[in-house]
Each structure stands twice: as C-alpha cells, then as structure tokens.
Amino acid sequence: RIMKLLFLNHLKPNVIFQGIFFCYLIYALINLYALKKENQGISFTVQFKEWLKIMKNSVVFVLISFFAGLYFKIDIFLLNYLKGQHTIGVYSAGYKFLEALMFVPASYNIVSIPILSKIFAHNRKFFLERIKRDFIYVGIFGIFFSFSLALGAPYFLPLFLKGDYFNSIAVFQIIIFAFPLLFVTSIMLNGLYI
C-alpha cells in the first residue's frame, strides 16, 4: 500500500504536466491549421534582416514585459522572505483566481486592437478619443466587476478552496482590485502597440 501511494504521488505531477503539454500542443496545432487555412501561401522561413528589424523596434515592449513579469513575481519573493512558504501557498491560491480572470482584458485586447488599428490609420484624433472613451468605460466596468467579485467571493470561492486554502478568499478580495488597473493598463499598451 505504501509503495502504491508513493507511486501515485510520484506519477500524479508527471501526468498533470504531460496533460498540460498535450493541451498546449493541440492548441498550437489548431492555430497553425487555422493560419495555413487563412493564408494558403504561408511558408515558415527565417528572414534574419526582418527578424532583427522587429527585435530592434520591439525593445520597449520587451522591457515592458520584463518589468511586468518582475512585478508579478516580486511579491512571491517578498512573502517568502517575510512570512514563509505556507503564506505563499495561501496567497498563490487566491491569486490564481485573478489570473483566471485575465481572459476578460485579453478578450478586449483581441477584439479592440484590429478596430483601433483601422481607426488610427484613418483618423488619429478619433483614435485618441476612442482610447480615452475605452479608458473610462473599461475602468468603470473593472471597478464594478471587482466590487461584485469581492462581495461574492465568500459565496462562490468556498466551492474551490478547502482546508488551509480557505484563507485565500481574503487574499482574492484584496487583489481583485488590481483588476481595473490591469484593464486600463492594457488599453494604454494597446495604444503603444498601435
């Protein structure tokens, strides 16, 4: 029985990681199929001059991504130093729910970037007005969304969080208020990208 438990405990993370890899592989293949179907003559060749030009023009965005990644990880290092690993587990469990909600600003970005790009190409003044308007509307939506989730968290999160992780509800109720800031920051980044 002990050997069986040890074997299952050893196998479980591997199976989970293999499943995650398999899902990402399927996702990549579906995207590749859709891309080839949309663009019949697409070929995958490396053009170093074009690649270097893209790298040169994307330094600002690489730095933005680097500092954003640092921002999203520095809290773990501080918590580990100040409070220990148990606190990191509680914090990370609450934080995962915020990460899961990132599909909302991502959906906005996917839909808005092509529209904003067309507007920018035709009328830059209207583009700036549209960015301001989106900033206000998305900010208001983000605040309303955050308050709704913060108030509803004690009712729906216990369905997922048990035992020691029950304290993660309080973490979620605090960090959900980063959501409006993440949302409006994505609008500013869209403006920079465009």
Side-chain angles (χ1 to χ4, degrees), residues 18-37:
Q18 289 168 2
I20 291 169
F21 167 77
F22 185 69
C23 289
Y24 274 117
L25 180 64
I26 290 172
Y27 177 68
L29 292 174
I30 289 171
N31 282 322
L32 178 62
Y33 172 76
L35 185 64
K36 283 195 167 207
K37 189 175 177 186

Side-chain angles (χ1 to χ4, degrees), residues 5 8 17 21 26 29 42 58 65 84-86 89 101 118 126 135 139 141 143-144 150 184:
L5 287 172
L8 289 176
F17 291 133
F21 167 77
I26 290 172
L29 292 174
I42 195 167
S58 63
S65 296
Q85 291 196 0
H86 175 74
L101 293 170
K118 286 180 184 176
F126 183 64
F135 193 85
F141 170 76
I143 291 168
F144 175 75
V184 296

